[in-house]
Amino acid sequence: MTIPTFFSCFFAVICSLTSFAQDYTGVWEGEFATDMIPRLGRRTFFMHMELKVEGKHISGMFYNKSSEAHDLKHVVYRISGELSTKNKAIFRLTNSGVIDDNLPQGVADVFLDFFCNYYSNDSTEIIHGIWYPNGQTSPRSDGAGGPFLVKRISKKLSSAGKETFDYDFKKANPTKQLEEMNTVEVQKNYWQRNDTLIQTIISPVNQVSLLLYDNAIIDGDIISLYVNDSLVLSKKRLSTNPITYNLILEPNKHYKISLFAENLGSIPPNTAYMFIGFSKREGKDIYLSCDENQNVSVVIKLKDL
């Protein structure tokens, strides 16, 4: 299997999710992708990450390289972050500085943040998610930004005590490691799924409330909610009681509200009823349906005055 097809193979939900008391210390390896402009397409790189957890704090490093050049690291970044006490399976790692740069001047300053999700089953541990470029909260117009996925290959750092966590890439076999990872099935993340825009709504007021319910039969549907591609509600179970998110609208701006299916419940697909409230009595009814391959979205914008 070729490296560019790696992400397309991760399409099903992994068997179990571990959310608490997780120590991510160790070596993680996998793939880092950049969704470049259409004429270039997706570019993929081998990724090496080492993390050290001390209490709630995570520190470490990562670098990428071409799978053909085992001894050439592109850029080595220092990264850090904090674990949440509520859900340690979702966390953010931030660029803390460049340790080493082997690329042309200015190229290194692209990476900014990893938004990470942790999954595990009986034999494999994986961190996957989205990376964002410098100064942005979504991939740039040229496609800089995209998905990454790494598998834990060791619970020990390769060079304990060294700030850079140096690693001998000549001993690594990226192609073999990636092929082994292809035997694991992981849920497609937000960016890997297709997106269907079903409606554009004009709001007469600048403050709206989004109320989300399970539609029809209550069957255990769990969703996450994104606004303009940023996560605002994570892993919420739909029921007859509303899940509420309040949104302030600014003039001349669009707000894309996207529903992400965390599961399909007992009766596929994942369905939701959303009431977009302009006041206590006035609003808009929307019926949403999504699955493991498809997000569903509506756009809200403020009425021109």
Side-chain angles (χ1 to χ4, degrees):
M1 181 173 293
T2 59
I3 289 179
T5 62
F6 174 70
F7 278 101
S8 65
C9 297
F10 292 82
F11 58 86
V13 181
I14 207 160
C15 298
S16 63
L17 169 64
T18 303
S19 297
F20 302 98
Q22 179 59 42
D23 185 356
Y24 302 112
T25 298
V27 178
W28 304 75
E29 291 184 340
E31 186 173 281
F32 179 100
T34 298
D35 292 334
M36 300 300 288
I37 53 181
R39 65 182 179 86
L40 295 177
R42 171 169 286 179
R43 300 177 63 202
T44 57
F45 305 91
F46 180 79
M47 179 176 175
H48 177 94
M49 175 186 285
E50 299 203 24
L51 300 175
K52 179 165 57 177
V53 177
E54 297 174 303
K56 296 181 181 179
H57 183 69
I58 310 176
S59 60
M61 56 79 73
F62 87 94
Y63 58 79
N64 301 322
K65 60 171 289 295
S66 167
S67 61
E68 290 79 24
H70 288 197
D71 58 346
L72 177 62
K73 305 170 187 176
H74 287 177
V75 183
V76 183
Y77 291 96
R78 185 178 292 108
I79 49 179
S80 62
E82 299 291 327
L83 293 176
S84 168
T85 55
K86 293 183 178 180
N87 189 347
K88 294 180 181 178
I90 300 175
F91 56 97
R92 174 180 175 181
L93 294 173
T94 299
N95 180 359
S96 301
V98 173
I99 298 170
D100 187 25
D101 181 6
N102 297 305
L103 295 179
Q105 186 174 4
V107 174
D109 194 27
V110 172
F111 167 75
L112 178 65
D113 291 318
F114 286 125
F115 286 81
C116 305
N117 296 271
Y118 169 79
Y119 284 92
S120 71
N121 63 14
D122 292 338
S123 60
T124 303
E125 293 179 279
I126 286 173
I127 294 174
H128 76 114
I130 297 296
W131 71 273
Y132 290 147
N134 48 318
Q136 310 251 346
T137 56
S138 63
R140 294 191 319 210
S141 59
D142 65 356
F148 74 95
L149 189 151
V150 289
K151 172 185 175 182
R152 195 204 294 258
I153 63 170
S154 173
K155 292 188 176 182
K156 295 182 180 180
L157 300 175
S158 63
S159 299
K162 291 188 178 181
E163 185 180 20
T164 60
F165 304 136
D166 196 17
Y167 183 72
D168 186 356
F169 229 129
K170 294 180 180 180
K171 294 180 181 179
N173 188 340
T175 302
K176 180 180 179 181
Q177 290 164 353
L178 291 176
E179 287 176 350
E180 290 175 351
M181 290 174 64
N182 287 332
T183 62
V184 182
E185 295 181 340
V186 169
Q187 181 187 47
K188 283 185 179 179
N189 64 38
Y190 176 79
W191 291 102
Q192 290 173 293
R193 298 185 185 183
N194 297 321
D195 184 72
T196 299
L197 177 63
I198 62 170
Q199 197 168 352
T200 297
I201 297 166
I202 308 300
S203 173
V205 295
N206 68 347
Q207 296 186 45
V208 298
S209 296
L210 310 179
L211 282 71
L212 287 160
Y213 305 80
D214 202 339
N215 185 33
I217 299 174
I218 309 302
D219 64 336
D221 287 338
I222 298 175
I223 59 94
S224 290
L225 191 71
Y226 290 75
V227 176
N228 288 342
D229 299 324
S230 294
L231 181 65
V232 296
L233 295 174
S234 177
K235 295 181 173 61
K236 300 296 184 181
R237 185 180 295 272
L238 298 173
S239 68
T240 55
N241 297 317
I243 297 168
T244 303
Y245 182 78
N246 297 316
L247 186 62
I248 297 177
L249 309 178
E250 297 181 12
N252 303 315
K253 292 186 67 174
H254 292 69
Y255 296 83
K256 186 178 76 165
I257 313 300
S258 303
L259 199 71
F260 175 88
E262 296 287 353
N263 70 356
L264 299 182
S266 59
I267 308 174
N270 189 312
T271 56
Y273 160 62
M274 180 167 65
F275 179 74
I276 302 175
F278 306 139
S279 67
K280 290 183 178 180
R281 297 183 178 180
E282 296 183 359
K284 185 73 175 179
D285 297 308
I286 305 289
Y287 294 91
L288 306 169
S289 176
C290 52
D291 57 29
E292 293 171 342
N293 296 304
Q294 189 86 25
N295 301 323
V296 63
S297 300
V298 298
V299 167
I300 303 175
K301 60 181 181 178
L302 183 63
K303 182 179 179 180
D304 294 335
L305 300 177

